Amino acid sequence: MARQFEFEPQRGVGSEVLGGNAERLVVMAFRVRVRLLVVAVALLSIAAAVPTQAQKRGPDGAPNPTASVIDEQTLLNQAPRVEGRVDIPDPKAGVLIEPAGRTWQYVHEVLLHRASAVIILGTIAILGLAYLIVGPIRIAEGRSGKKIFRFKAYERFAHWLTAVSFVVLALTGLNVTFGKVLLLPVIGPDAFTLVSQAAKYVHNFTGFSFAIGLVLIAVIFFRDNLFQKIDLDWIKQGGGFIKNKHAPAGRFNFGEKLVYWLSVAAGAAVSVSGFLMMFPFYGVSIAGMQLAQIVHTVVAVLLVALILAHIYIGTIGMEGAFEAMGTGEVDLNWAKEHHDHWIAQQLANEVRLRPPSATVAE
């Protein structure tokens, strides 16, 4: 008969270790299940929210990815100034929305544009009426045929350097203001982009030649443009526009002196403000940059109106005036009519400097 053996496991240290590990495994498994449950709940919440957003569609039926985004007007009303954090050194880049910026946009894009159009078109209209009503100012006694030297070569160089630079600046600057309205519809967006980009570079670099010419004009013609008592007589006699009155004047009359001082002051203002815009935020804040743009625009438009009047008088508005800066010489009768004191002094100097005629020996 076979013997039956009974086996009874021995209890000891090893069994206690196995029991502790089992308990820890149970705890860890429980924690994993809890974490999985939390993740599952989170995913279910996200999944429940996504269909709600996806159901918001645009007018064409396509999904609107910005449906849950706060619209711009609501953001502007709730937060008049929105500022964030940036990693770059310039903290101003963190300002996303600024109340003063909206006011500035209206001033720059609406008010300045309208005022500029009124000033420039108004000046052109006034000059056109003056030409139709008064016509060009003729030389009363006609041309004498004798020329008097009026401007030296370096004086004409300074004038034309400044004049040509200003015309280029005016045209390229007006493109910034009115190009989108006048030029863009004519040549199209692609060509307008190329033209405007080139005009911007030309405008910036021409500013340096204009500033140089302005300094030359200010220095060369400073002494001749100081106001004197004779300027009061010129004003009393109507500046030569009253036919039965003669307006005395030196090398420059009161009107020309006024153009000189206004041009120098306005030219300095647009040069300084223009350089501030070319090199932004050097010593000025955002408010300073906005002020520079306002000054640059307003003064430049007023200077355009002034120079339009100056061009009119120097070309079709007065007979013989353009020759002064064109060739440097003017007709003798023109000089007597418009600058009598100056021509009298010039003729006296010619007599004084003329060598004495040789006498016949007896």
Side-chain angles (χ1 to χ4, degrees):
M1 186 173 181
R3 298 183 65 180
Q4 296 180 350
F5 295 94
E6 294 181 357
F7 176 79
E8 182 179 357
Q10 296 182 355
R11 297 184 180 273
V13 178
S15 61
E16 293 179 357
V17 172
L18 292 174
N21 290 337
E23 292 177 357
R24 282 195 295 272
L25 291 174
V26 171
V27 173
M28 291 176 62
F30 177 76
R31 291 178 179 177
V32 170
R33 291 173 183 173
V34 171
R35 292 175 182 176
L36 292 175
L37 180 62
V38 172
V39 172
V41 171
L43 293 176
L44 290 175
S45 301
I46 296 175
V50 168
T52 303
Q53 294 184 4
Q55 292 176 359
K56 296 181 180 181
R57 300 178 179 272
D60 58 350
N64 185 3
T66 61
S68 61
V69 179
I70 300 176
D71 63 279
E72 181 180 2
Q73 190 59 43
T74 303
L75 183 62
L76 293 176
N77 294 334
Q78 294 179 354
R81 179 183 175 92
V82 177
E83 185 174 357
R85 293 178 296 177
V86 293
D87 296 331
I88 61 178
D90 188 2
K92 295 186 294 297
V95 179
L96 179 62
I97 299 175
E98 173 66 54
R102 297 192 292 275
T103 304
W104 160 250
Q105 183 180 15
Y106 178 75
V107 171
H108 185 265
E109 298 294 332
V110 179
L111 296 183
L112 290 181
H113 286 194
R114 293 177 181 175
S116 300
V118 170
I119 292 173
I120 295 176
L121 295 178
T123 301
I124 295 175
I126 292 173
L127 295 177
L129 289 175
Y131 184 79
L132 294 176
I133 297 174
V134 180
I137 301 175
R138 302 294 183 182
I139 301 176
E141 297 183 2
R143 293 182 178 271
S144 65
K146 182 180 179 180
K147 297 292 185 177
I148 299 296
F149 197 73
R150 180 160 171 78
F151 291 115
K152 299 177 181 179
Y154 69 89
E155 294 174 327
R156 300 198 306 274
F157 170 78
H159 173 271
W160 288 115
L161 174 64
T162 310
V164 173
S165 298
F166 178 78
V167 170
V168 174
L169 290 172
L171 293 177
T172 54
L174 290 175
N175 178 68
V176 176
T177 306
F178 301 110
K180 290 184 292 185
V181 178
L182 301 178
L183 191 59
L184 177 59
V186 176
I187 64 177
D190 295 334
F192 178 73
T193 300
L194 296 176
V195 170
S196 298
Q197 185 178 19
K200 185 64 174 68
Y201 284 114
V202 171
H203 190 89
N204 289 346
F205 285 105
T206 309
F208 292 97
S209 63
F210 174 77
I212 294 173
L214 187 69
V215 172
L216 291 176
I217 284 182
V219 173
I220 293 173
F221 298 108
F222 175 79
R223 183 177 179 181
D224 293 324
N225 281 280
L226 295 176
F227 293 105
Q228 300 174 343
K229 182 179 179 299
I230 194 175
D231 296 320
L232 295 177
D233 298 332
W234 185 88
I235 296 174
K236 292 178 182 179
Q237 300 302 323
F241 292 96
I242 302 177
K243 293 184 178 180
N244 59 347
K245 291 186 178 182
H246 174 74
R251 190 184 187 192
F252 298 111
N253 58 42
F254 177 78
E256 292 170 330
K257 291 179 180 180
L258 200 61
V259 171
Y260 167 84
W261 288 110
L262 291 176
S263 299
V264 169
V270 295
S271 297
V272 173
S273 58
F275 290 140
L276 287 177
M277 289 189 291
M278 287 176 60
F279 306 99
F281 299 111
Y282 279 88
V284 295
S285 60
I286 293 179
M289 291 298 302
Q290 292 176 345
L291 178 61
Q293 291 196 24
I294 292 177
V295 169
H296 191 80
T297 303
V298 173
V299 176
V301 169
L302 294 176
L303 187 57
V304 167
L306 177 65
I307 298 303
L308 284 175
H310 177 66
I311 294 174
Y312 169 78
I313 294 296
T315 54
I316 63 175
M318 179 180 291
E319 181 185 5
F322 182 79
E323 300 168 10
M325 278 297 174
T327 63
E329 296 179 331
V330 294
D331 187 82
L332 178 61
N333 287 344
W334 181 91
K336 290 180 179 179
E337 185 174 338
H338 297 287
H339 301 277
D340 54 347
H341 283 228
W342 170 76
I343 191 59
Q345 184 180 4
Q346 293 297 110
L347 294 176
N349 291 337
E350 287 185 5
V351 173
R352 181 173 55 85
L353 297 176
R354 185 181 304 165
S357 57
T359 58
V360 180
E362 297 181 357

